[in-house]
Short mmCIF file of all heavy atoms in Angstrom, two decimals:
data_model
loop_
_atom_site.label_atom_id
_atom_site.label_comp_id
_atom_site.label_asym_id
_atom_site.label_seq_id
_atom_site.Cartn_x
_atom_site.Cartn_y
_atom_site.Cartn_z
N PRO H 75 -36.89 -74.49 88.67
CA PRO H 75 -38.01 -74.88 89.56
C PRO H 75 -37.71 -76.20 90.22
O PRO H 75 -37.21 -77.14 89.62
CB PRO H 75 -39.22 -74.99 88.64
CG PRO H 75 -38.66 -75.20 87.29
CD PRO H 75 -37.32 -74.49 87.29
N THR H 76 -38.08 -76.32 91.49
CA THR H 76 -37.73 -77.53 92.27
C THR H 76 -38.86 -78.15 93.02
O THR H 76 -38.77 -79.15 93.71
CB THR H 76 -36.61 -77.26 93.28
OG1 THR H 76 -37.03 -76.19 94.17
CG2 THR H 76 -35.34 -76.82 92.57
N ASP H 77 -40.09 -77.47 92.92
CA ASP H 77 -41.20 -77.94 93.77
C ASP H 77 -41.97 -79.07 93.10
O ASP H 77 -41.45 -80.10 92.73
CB ASP H 77 -42.04 -76.74 94.14
CG ASP H 77 -43.01 -77.03 95.28
OD1 ASP H 77 -42.80 -78.04 95.99
OD2 ASP H 77 -43.95 -76.27 95.47
N ARG H 78 -43.26 -78.84 92.82
CA ARG H 78 -44.06 -79.90 92.23
C ARG H 78 -43.74 -80.13 90.76
O ARG H 78 -44.25 -81.07 90.13
CB ARG H 78 -45.57 -79.52 92.34
CG ARG H 78 -46.05 -79.36 93.79
CD ARG H 78 -47.51 -79.44 93.91
NE ARG H 78 -48.21 -78.45 93.18
CZ ARG H 78 -49.53 -78.34 93.12
NH1 ARG H 78 -50.32 -79.24 93.65
NH2 ARG H 78 -50.12 -77.35 92.46
N THR H 79 -42.88 -79.28 90.20
CA THR H 79 -42.61 -79.34 88.77
C THR H 79 -41.40 -80.20 88.45
O THR H 79 -40.90 -80.15 87.31
CB THR H 79 -42.33 -77.89 88.23
OG1 THR H 79 -41.39 -77.27 89.11
CG2 THR H 79 -43.59 -77.08 88.27
N LYS H 80 -40.89 -81.00 89.37
CA LYS H 80 -39.70 -81.79 89.13
C LYS H 80 -39.85 -82.68 87.89
O LYS H 80 -38.89 -82.94 87.21
CB LYS H 80 -39.36 -82.63 90.33
CG LYS H 80 -38.76 -81.83 91.50
CD LYS H 80 -38.44 -82.74 92.63
CE LYS H 80 -37.82 -81.94 93.84
NZ LYS H 80 -37.45 -82.80 94.95
N SER H 81 -41.10 -83.16 87.68
CA SER H 81 -41.32 -84.09 86.53
C SER H 81 -41.28 -83.32 85.23
O SER H 81 -41.05 -83.88 84.15
CB SER H 81 -42.62 -84.79 86.68
OG SER H 81 -43.70 -83.83 86.64
N LEU H 82 -41.49 -81.99 85.25
CA LEU H 82 -41.52 -81.18 84.01
C LEU H 82 -40.15 -80.69 83.61
O LEU H 82 -39.86 -80.49 82.45
CB LEU H 82 -42.46 -80.00 84.25
CG LEU H 82 -43.92 -80.19 83.96
CD1 LEU H 82 -44.65 -78.86 84.26
CD2 LEU H 82 -44.19 -80.61 82.57
N TYR H 83 -39.24 -80.48 84.55
CA TYR H 83 -38.04 -79.74 84.21
C TYR H 83 -36.77 -80.57 84.42
O TYR H 83 -36.74 -81.46 85.32
CB TYR H 83 -37.95 -78.49 85.12
CG TYR H 83 -39.06 -77.52 84.86
CD1 TYR H 83 -40.25 -77.62 85.61
CD2 TYR H 83 -39.00 -76.57 83.90
CE1 TYR H 83 -41.27 -76.73 85.38
CE2 TYR H 83 -39.98 -75.64 83.65
CZ TYR H 83 -41.17 -75.76 84.42
OH TYR H 83 -42.19 -74.90 84.20
N ASN H 84 -35.77 -80.26 83.74
CA ASN H 84 -34.48 -80.78 83.90
C ASN H 84 -33.47 -79.66 84.00
O ASN H 84 -33.29 -78.89 83.05
CB ASN H 84 -34.09 -81.67 82.67
CG ASN H 84 -32.73 -82.35 82.84
OD1 ASN H 84 -31.96 -81.95 83.67
ND2 ASN H 84 -32.44 -83.30 82.00
N GLU H 85 -32.87 -79.50 85.18
CA GLU H 85 -32.04 -78.32 85.42
C GLU H 85 -30.86 -78.23 84.41
O GLU H 85 -30.31 -77.18 84.13
CB GLU H 85 -31.50 -78.28 86.85
CG GLU H 85 -32.61 -78.06 87.88
CD GLU H 85 -32.03 -77.89 89.27
OE1 GLU H 85 -30.76 -77.90 89.38
OE2 GLU H 85 -32.81 -77.83 90.21
N ASP H 86 -30.39 -79.41 83.89
CA ASP H 86 -29.34 -79.37 82.93
C ASP H 86 -29.68 -78.65 81.68
O ASP H 86 -28.85 -78.18 80.88
CB ASP H 86 -28.93 -80.82 82.54
CG ASP H 86 -28.29 -81.51 83.74
OD1 ASP H 86 -27.80 -80.83 84.61
OD2 ASP H 86 -28.32 -82.79 83.77
N GLU H 87 -31.05 -78.50 81.39
CA GLU H 87 -31.43 -77.76 80.21
C GLU H 87 -31.33 -76.25 80.39
O GLU H 87 -31.43 -75.53 79.38
CB GLU H 87 -32.89 -78.15 79.85
CG GLU H 87 -33.02 -79.61 79.39
CD GLU H 87 -34.45 -79.87 79.00
OE1 GLU H 87 -35.32 -79.07 79.32
OE2 GLU H 87 -34.67 -80.93 78.31
#
Side-chain angles (χ1 to χ4, degrees):
T76 57
D77 195 15
R78 299 200 297 177
T79 50
K80 286 182 179 179
S81 62
L82 273 180
Y83 298 90
N84 181 346
E85 291 186 7
D86 292 336
E87 291 183 346

